[in-house]
Amino acid sequence: PSSHPTFSLVLYNHKMRNSLQSQGRFTINTSDIDPTITLDTIRNARGDDNALQIATEDLLKRAHMHASNVPGTMPYWKSTQYEFKAINFFNSYIKKRDISLFHTGSLAEYHEYPLRHLLYKYTTALSHVDEEYSLSILNDDSVFMNAVQKYKNIVTHYLASKMELWMGLFMKPVYKVDHGVLTKEFAKTRGAIHFHSLLGQVGNECSTKLNENLQR
C-alpha cells in the first residue's frame, strides 16, 4: 500500500491531525450536567456498563477541540484577527492613538554570522544532534537554512532582539513611533524569519500634515 499515489497524502494528513489535536485545547459544555460529577464517578460506573456508556457518550458529545492556540491553523488566524481588532479598537477609541504605519522587517540570514554561531552553540548543547551537523551550520548554507527552520525558537529570539534595537534606535527617533502591534512569521526561502507590524506615531510632523490633507 505504500506505493499507492495517495498513501503519502493520507499519512501526512494523519500526522498533522494528530499533531494539532495534541496541541489543541478541549472544552466541555457543562450546562445540564450535575456539577458534582467527577471523572472518578464515571470510572466507578463500570459496574453498570450501560451507565458508563451513557456518561461517556454524553461527555464526548459535549467536548469540543479548539486549535486557536496552534499557529498556522484557521482557528488560530481567526482568533488573531479578533485579537488585533480588539487591540486596535482600544488604542483608537480609548487612547485616541491610531495606526499610521505598516512596517515589515526581515533577516538576511545568510549574512547573519552571529546567528550561525548562535545556532552552532545551541545544537552542540543538544544530546541528540551530531557534531558534524553543528559544524556544518557554520559553512554550509543548506544545513544552516535547515537549522533556521528547525530551531525557530532561537531564530525568533534573535530577530526580536534586533527588532527591538531597530525600533529604539531608528523608528522611534526618526518616525516618532511609540506603539504598535506586530507578528513574526517564517517563510521557506531567504528572509525566512520576518515580522509585520502596524505602528502608531506621536508628534510626527510629516504624518500630521498628511492626515490633515487626507481629511480635506
Side-chain angles (χ1 to χ4, degrees):
S2 60
S3 60
H4 194 278
T6 61
F7 177 78
S8 59
L9 296 178
V10 174
L11 180 60
Y12 178 75
N13 177 269
H14 178 73
K15 291 177 63 178
M16 288 298 296
R17 184 172 58 183
N18 287 344
S19 176
L20 292 177
Q21 288 179 346
S22 65
Q23 298 177 63
R25 297 173 181 172
F26 280 92
T27 59
I28 297 178
N29 182 1
T30 58
S31 61
D32 301 325
I33 291 183
D34 183 358
T36 62
I37 193 172
T38 63
L39 289 177
D40 289 334
T41 304
I42 297 177
R43 294 192 189 99
N44 296 331
R46 292 178 179 176
D48 186 346
D49 292 337
N50 187 45
L52 175 61
Q53 182 177 358
I54 293 175
T56 303
E57 290 179 353
D58 188 39
L59 279 179
L60 290 176
K61 289 179 181 179
R62 294 169 177 269
H64 299 277
M65 191 196 76
H66 297 270
S68 60
N69 61 315
V70 183
T73 61
M74 288 302 295
Y76 169 82
W77 288 118
K78 181 64 69 174
S79 174
T80 302
Q81 176 188 0
Y82 288 129
E83 180 182 354
F84 166 73
K85 285 184 175 181
I87 294 174
N88 193 38
F89 178 78
F90 177 81
N91 284 331
S92 177
Y93 185 73
I94 303 298
K95 292 189 173 182
K96 308 300 181 182
R97 302 162 75 183
D98 294 320
I99 295 297
S100 54
L101 294 175
F102 174 75
H103 182 48
T104 296
S106 65
L107 284 179
E109 60 267 17
Y110 289 142
H111 301 283
E112 290 288 344
Y113 298 108
L115 178 59
R116 287 182 184 258
H117 190 254
L118 186 62
L119 287 170
Y120 163 74
K121 293 184 64 177
Y122 178 76
T123 53
T124 54
L126 301 177
S127 59
H128 62 281
V129 178
D130 294 333
E131 183 178 356
E132 183 179 351
Y133 178 86
S134 299
L135 288 172
S136 297
I137 292 176
L138 298 174
N139 49 38
D140 189 320
D141 286 345
S142 62
V143 177
F144 171 64
M145 180 54 63
N146 176 268
V148 167
Q149 295 290 337
K150 192 173 183 179
Y151 303 106
K152 295 182 179 180
N153 55 322
I154 301 299
V155 184
T156 301
H157 282 291
Y158 183 82
L159 173 68
S161 64
K162 297 200 70 173
M163 181 190 67
E164 290 177 5
L165 291 173
W166 169 255
M167 292 293 182
L169 296 177
F170 184 80
M171 294 302 292
K172 184 175 181 179
V174 176
Y175 288 99
K176 309 302 180 184
V177 169
D178 75 330
H179 70 281
V181 181
L182 63 88
T183 181
K184 303 179 184 68
E185 295 180 342
F186 275 82
K188 294 296 184 181
T189 56
R190 293 190 63 176
I193 174 66
H194 59 278
F195 69 86
H196 301 293
S197 61
L198 294 172
L199 307 174
Q201 304 166 284
V202 172
N204 186 282
E205 185 177 344
C206 179
S207 296
T208 302
K209 290 182 178 180
L210 178 61
N211 290 333
E212 291 175 352
N213 290 331
L214 290 174
Q215 292 173 6
R216 293 177 181 176

